[in-house]
Amino acid sequence: VSSFPMEDLIVSINSLLDSRANANLSQTAQQYLNKDNLDPGWGQVKKLCSTNAASDLGGPFMKERKRKSACSSGRVFELLDSGRSLATKLRTLAQSGPFEPGPLRQLPDESVDQEFGNVTMSMDFREGGGGGRSLHKMCDQLDIRGVPYVVRELKIADYIFFVGEKLAPVLIERKTADDVAGSLHDGRWERQQRSMRKAQY
């Protein structure tokens, strides 16, 4: 199938997403068609259709077409030859795995401002309530500022920093006042501090 009604495309995307990312497209097609909708997940889909956003990768890869009779949203997405070629390459790469999972999100720039030196921030994928809440908004702000970062599953802390390949002795566990109180009550506070101290060595 080379074209999908928008509603079917949303279902297909959700079936392929990594559940740990908590990034399902949870809104309706009509909500995504609202020009003021800033959902980051649907923004990624729109980038696949954008000549400017995907040009450095040989895109665009899809084309959005208006077809009122095709579905209730009146939108159909067509997979272009460039998209089919990229999908074939990605499928071949996936079948030659398994691979160590990469970051769930990272700074998209190929170069980093010198003011950051060789420092990269790693952020836990549950931070900000995960992909379904504020995580992507936080990442968007890091993108705007050009901060080198990756989002992964962290065993310790919410934020850690690397200088090159080495873990820097700066580990951050971000907590609300309620979370601090709960951590003190159930003993997590001491366990987390011990783990963070061990990790530095």
Side-chain angles (χ1 to χ4, degrees):
V1 179
S2 59
S3 63
F4 289 89
M6 184 174 175
E7 293 83 350
D8 292 351
L9 180 63
I10 291 171
V11 171
S12 295
I13 289 171
N14 285 337
S15 72
L16 296 170
L17 286 173
D18 187 329
S19 59
R20 295 174 304 158
N22 192 24
N24 276 14
L25 299 175
S26 57
Q27 300 180 36
T28 67
Q30 291 300 327
Q31 288 173 311
Y32 287 128
L33 288 174
N34 184 333
K35 63 181 176 59
D36 295 323
N37 191 311
L38 299 177
D39 181 82
W42 188 249
Q44 296 298 315
V45 176
K46 297 290 283 185
K47 283 181 181 178
L48 294 173
C49 303
S50 168
T51 302
N52 295 331
S55 60
D56 58 332
L57 297 174
F61 304 106
M62 296 195 308
K63 187 169 184 66
E64 180 181 353
R65 299 186 185 278
K66 291 183 180 180
R67 291 194 183 150
K68 292 183 179 179
S69 60
C71 53
S72 59
S73 66
R75 295 292 194 286
V76 172
F77 287 80
E78 179 184 342
L79 183 65
L80 302 177
D81 288 342
S82 53
R84 190 178 305 282
S85 174
L86 181 61
T88 301
K89 290 177 184 175
L90 290 172
R91 178 179 292 158
T92 302
L93 188 62
Q95 290 172 344
S96 66
F99 294 97
E100 183 69 22
L104 299 174
R105 187 163 167 176
Q106 65 184 30
L107 181 70
D109 296 350
E110 293 182 6
S111 59
V112 175
D113 196 299
Q114 284 186 328
E115 73 172 298
F116 298 110
N118 202 21
V119 177
T120 300
M121 180 180 76
S122 187
M123 179 167 52
D124 187 68
F125 77 97
R126 292 162 290 233
E127 184 61 3
R133 299 187 69 186
S134 301
L135 174 67
H136 287 298
K137 291 179 182 177
M138 296 164 69
C139 292
D140 289 343
Q141 291 301 313
L142 293 171
D143 287 343
I144 290 169
R145 291 162 175 78
V147 176
Y149 75 95
V150 295
V151 177
R152 293 182 179 275
E153 180 178 6
L154 300 182
K155 302 297 185 186
I156 52 159
D158 294 320
Y159 301 88
I160 60 177
F161 297 84
F162 288 91
V163 181
E165 303 271 326
K166 295 183 179 180
L167 178 65
V170 179
L171 308 172
I172 299 174
E173 181 75 26
R174 191 171 75 100
K175 291 185 181 294
T176 64
D178 288 343
D179 199 13
V180 170
S183 298
L184 288 169
H185 178 72
D186 62 20
R188 280 182 296 135
W189 181 268
E190 288 297 328
R191 290 197 302 271
Q192 288 174 333
Q193 287 195 335
R194 280 197 301 272
S195 297
M196 290 167 74
R197 281 194 292 270
K198 287 179 182 178
Q200 295 183 62
Y201 304 102

